Coordinates of all heavy atoms in Angstrom, one line a residue:
R127 N -22.8 -0.8 26.1 CA -22.3 -0.2 24.9 C -23.2 0.8 24.3 O -22.8 1.9 23.9 CB -22.0 -1.3 23.8 CG -20.8 -2.1 24.1 CD -20.5 -3.2 23.0 NE -19.1 -3.6 23.3 CZ -18.0 -3.1 22.5 NH1 -18.2 -2.3 21.6 NH2 -16.8 -3.6 22.7
D159 N -13.7 -3.0 13.0 CA -14.9 -2.5 13.8 C -16.2 -2.8 13.0 O -17.2 -3.3 13.5 CB -14.8 -1.0 14.0 CG -13.5 -0.6 14.8 OD1 -12.9 -1.5 15.4 OD2 -13.1 0.6 14.6
E162 N -17.0 -6.7 12.7 CA -17.6 -7.3 13.9 C -18.9 -6.9 14.2 O -19.8 -7.6 14.6 CB -16.6 -7.0 15.1 CG -15.3 -7.7 14.9 CD -14.6 -8.1 16.2 OE1 -14.8 -7.4 17.2 OE2 -13.9 -9.0 16.2
K168 N -20.3 -7.9 18.2 CA -20.6 -6.8 19.2 C -20.9 -5.6 18.5 O -20.4 -5.3 17.4 CB -19.7 -6.8 20.3 CG -18.2 -6.4 19.9 CD -17.3 -6.3 21.1 CE -16.7 -7.6 21.6 NZ -15.6 -7.5 22.5
Q170 N -20.0 -2.3 17.9 CA -18.9 -1.4 18.1 C -19.4 0.1 18.2 O -20.3 0.5 17.6 CB -17.9 -1.5 16.9 CG -17.4 -2.9 16.7 CD -16.2 -3.2 17.6 OE1 -15.4 -2.3 17.8 NE2 -16.1 -4.5 17.9
H171 N -18.8 0.7 19.2 CA -19.1 2.0 19.6 C -19.2 3.0 18.5 O -20.1 3.8 18.4 CB -18.0 2.4 20.6 CG -18.0 3.8 20.9 ND1 -19.0 4.4 21.5 CD2 -17.1 4.8 20.7 CE1 -18.7 5.7 21.7 NE2 -17.6 5.9 21.3
N172 N -18.3 2.9 17.5 CA -18.2 3.9 16.5 C -18.9 3.6 15.2 O -18.6 4.2 14.1 CB -16.7 4.2 16.2 CG -15.8 2.9 16.3 OD1 -16.3 1.9 16.7 ND2 -14.6 3.0 15.7
P219 N -3.9 -0.9 21.1 CA -5.3 -0.4 20.9 C -6.1 -0.1 22.2 O -5.8 -0.8 23.2 CB -5.9 -1.5 20.1 CG -4.8 -2.4 19.6 CD -3.6 -2.2 20.5
P221 N -10.2 0.6 23.1 CA -11.5 0.6 22.5 C -12.3 2.0 22.8 O -12.1 2.6 23.9 CB -12.2 -0.5 23.2 CG -11.6 -0.7 24.4 CD -10.1 -0.3 24.3
G222 N -13.1 2.3 21.8 CA -14.0 3.6 22.0 C -14.7 3.6 23.3 O -14.7 4.6 24.1
P223 N -15.4 2.5 23.7 CA -16.2 2.5 24.9 C -15.3 2.4 26.2 O -15.8 2.2 27.3 CB -17.1 1.4 24.9 CG -17.0 0.8 23.5 CD -15.8 1.3 22.9
Q259 N -1.8 -6.2 22.4 CA -2.6 -5.6 23.3 C -2.5 -6.3 24.7 O -2.4 -7.5 24.8 CB -4.1 -5.6 22.8 CG -5.0 -4.6 23.5 CD -6.3 -4.4 22.7 OE1 -6.6 -5.1 21.7 NE2 -7.2 -3.6 23.2
A293 N -6.4 -7.9 15.1 CA -7.5 -8.0 16.1 C -8.7 -9.0 15.7 O -9.6 -9.2 16.5 CB -8.1 -6.6 16.5
K329 N -8.6 -15.7 20.7 CA -9.9 -15.2 20.0 C -9.8 -15.9 18.6 O -8.8 -15.6 18.0 CB -9.8 -13.7 19.8 CG -10.9 -13.1 19.0 CD -10.8 -11.6 18.8 CE -11.9 -11.2 17.8 NZ -11.9 -9.7 17.6
T333 N -13.3 -13.0 22.9 CA -12.9 -11.8 22.2 C -11.9 -11.1 23.0 O -11.5 -11.6 24.1 CB -14.1 -10.8 22.0 OG1 -14.7 -10.5 23.3 CG2 -15.2 -11.3 21.1
I334 N -11.3 -10.0 22.6 CA -10.1 -9.4 23.3 C -10.7 -8.8 24.6 O -10.2 -9.1 25.6 CB -9.4 -8.5 22.4 CG1 -8.6 -9.3 21.3 CG2 -8.4 -7.7 23.1 CD1 -7.9 -8.4 20.3
E335 N -11.7 -7.9 24.4 CA -12.3 -7.2 25.5 C -13.4 -8.2 26.2 O -13.7 -9.2 25.6 CB -13.0 -6.0 25.2 CG -12.1 -5.1 24.3 CD -11.0 -4.3 25.1 OE1 -11.0 -4.4 26.3 OE2 -10.2 -3.8 24.4
Ligands
XMP1 P1 -12.8 -7.5 20.5 O1 -13.1 -7.4 22.0 O2 -14.0 -7.4 19.7 O3 -11.8 -6.4 20.1 O4 -12.0 -8.8 20.2 C1 -11.2 -6.3 18.9 C2 -10.3 -5.1 18.9 O5 -11.2 -3.8 18.9 C3 -11.1 -3.0 20.1 N1 -12.5 -2.7 20.4 C4 -13.1 -1.6 20.0 N2 -12.6 -0.5 19.2 N3 -14.7 0.5 19.4 C5 -13.4 0.6 19.0 O6 -12.9 1.5 18.4 C6 -15.2 -0.4 20.1 O7 -16.4 -0.4 20.4 C7 -14.4 -1.6 20.4 N4 -14.6 -2.7 21.0 C8 -13.4 -3.4 21.0 C9 -10.5 -4.0 21.1 O8 -9.7 -3.2 22.1 C10 -9.5 -4.9 20.2 O9 -8.3 -4.2 19.9

Side-chain angles (χ1 to χ4, degrees):
R127 281 181 164 262
D159 303 338
E162 294 210 331
K168 57 178 84 164
Q170 300 274 329
H171 168 62
N172 37 345
Q259 197 166 0
K329 174 181 181 178
T333 57
I334 291 176
E335 311 287 349

